[in-house]
Amino acid sequence: MNSDRTPIAPPNTFALSEAELIALQAQAAQAAGLPDVNFHDALSDGSAAPGLAIIPAGTFEYGAAPEEAAPDEERPRKAALIERSFAIGVTPVTTEEFEAYARASGWQPREELLWLSGRLPVIDVRQSDALDYCAWLSSETGQHYRLPTELEWEYACRAGAATAYPHGDKIGPDEAVYNVRKDLDAARPPSSQPVTSRMARCGVMEAGKLRPNRWGLFDMPGNVWEFTASPWTRDHMSLPDRPQAGSPQAVVTKGGSWFDGPEDCRAAARRRRLESELDINLGFRVVREV
């Protein structure tokens, strides 16, 4: 070993062109011994685990830019280092992917809540369900699966973009599933229908149908909010909230959803949710260490 070799500093992804970002991703895949930037592990029955894309190490800035219209909880913008490459789900975990875990573990959705099918993102699961799914994937594949941290999620979403959205400071319906009418249901009188009937209006879309970001990730903005592993903070300078003993932990979710306006699809946008929450616009995606 040459002890005089100077480690190569991870690049500033905000300073790279699209071609350089794609090349950086390919280099990370090669360094990890992967056949391609996109890959998947096999489950014990030979079927495929969720599709993954490798995300290269690098530096970036997280949080809203000074000129960005954003709440205080997204500020200040801060520099951050992603020291090691990791792999993340190309899409949020789909219902059919989660159902493989449900069959193996005996997990069942609550009968009164909406349950989807096929390639639609899984919804109405708690953070603990997402963590259990990651533990099951780890056991099935022999690899380490987990939820992304808030920093990892935003870094992967931006894919080198310093702008509000992965492809610029504006977003359109070809890039994300969001509520193009901010007054969704605002003009409707309160409904006396059962909860399940009202939930049938769920506007989630099949995963992976719209434009991906530069690292090939789909549905980072919009479709469903996604749980992270990070506890909630009031802003980017505060310490995590401390829940009372026995109370659910508040956690960070990212990405916006079909129910929310385009402003919630910004890379810096974040929302406080409880680890025990279930919702029809809330899901997750996985990280796999490499």
Side-chain angles (χ1 to χ4, degrees):
M1 176 181 289
N2 182 1
S3 60
D4 294 330
R5 174 177 283 181
T6 302
I8 299 174
N12 175 7
T13 57
F14 281 5
L16 300 181
S17 68
E18 180 171 355
E20 289 170 328
L21 288 162
I22 293 171
L24 184 66
Q25 187 181 30
Q27 291 165 11
Q30 184 178 28
L34 297 170
D36 194 2
V37 296
N38 295 111
F39 67 100
H40 63 78
D41 294 319
L43 303 178
S44 61
D45 64 1
S47 61
L52 302 165
I54 192 163
I55 305 300
T59 65
F60 79 119
E61 293 180 359
Y62 68 99
E67 68 275 12
E68 195 172 331
D72 289 343
E73 66 193 35
E74 299 173 16
R75 303 187 190 279
R77 175 166 269 198
K78 298 180 69 177
L81 166 66
I82 302 298
E83 190 172 5
R84 296 184 58 179
S85 300
F86 61 94
I88 195 168
V90 172
T91 69
V93 172
T94 65
T95 305
E96 67 182 8
E97 288 167 342
F98 192 86
E99 284 178 337
Y101 156 73
R103 289 191 297 271
S105 66
W107 186 95
Q108 294 184 343
R110 286 169 50 175
E111 291 184 1
E112 73 274 19
L113 299 182
L114 183 65
W115 192 250
L116 303 177
S117 62
R119 295 292 301 167
L120 294 171
V122 68
I123 59 171
D124 276 334
V125 292
R126 300 179 176 87
Q127 191 202 50
S128 59
D129 298 321
L131 294 171
D132 288 343
Y133 175 76
C134 289
W136 176 76
L137 278 181
S138 298
S139 175
E140 285 281 301
T141 64
Q143 304 294 334
H144 184 195
Y145 282 81
R146 57 180 174 80
L147 292 180
T149 65
E150 179 179 7
L151 284 184
E152 289 171 334
W153 194 101
E154 187 166 333
Y155 178 71
C157 175
R158 288 185 177 280
T163 49
Y165 302 97
H167 292 290
D169 285 318
K170 294 183 179 179
I171 198 167
D174 63 328
E175 296 174 288
V177 182
Y178 60 85
N179 175 20
V180 296
R181 297 184 304 115
K182 291 187 179 181
D183 62 342
L184 180 67
D185 287 341
R188 298 173 185 260
S191 175
S192 59
Q193 292 179 303
V195 171
T196 50
S197 297
R198 288 187 279 120
M199 284 183 173
R201 296 201 306 272
C202 178
V204 70
M205 178 184 285
E206 182 177 342
K209 289 296 187 181
L210 300 181
R211 184 183 182 187
N213 72 7
R214 284 171 288 196
W215 282 335
L217 305 179
F218 293 86
D219 302 304
M220 294 295 279
N223 217 358
V224 291
W225 287 97
E226 298 179 15
F227 278 116
T228 73
S230 297
W232 176 256
T233 58
R234 289 176 296 166
D235 53 43
H236 290 319
M237 293 295 289
S238 300
L239 295 173
D241 284 358
R242 291 186 176 182
Q244 295 181 350
S247 298
Q249 170 95 353
V251 296
V252 176
T253 61
K254 297 283 287 181
S257 80
W258 61 268
F259 186 83
D260 302 280
E263 67 280 359
D264 285 321
C265 294
R266 292 174 301 105
R270 57 204 297 265
R271 180 166 292 185
R272 181 184 186 275
R273 305 296 283 260
L274 296 178
E275 60 186 350
S276 58
E277 279 194 55
L278 299 152
D279 209 336
I280 57 172
N281 68 341
L282 178 58
F284 68 100
R285 78 177 66 211
V286 297
V287 156
R288 193 269 232 181
E289 296 187 359
V290 296

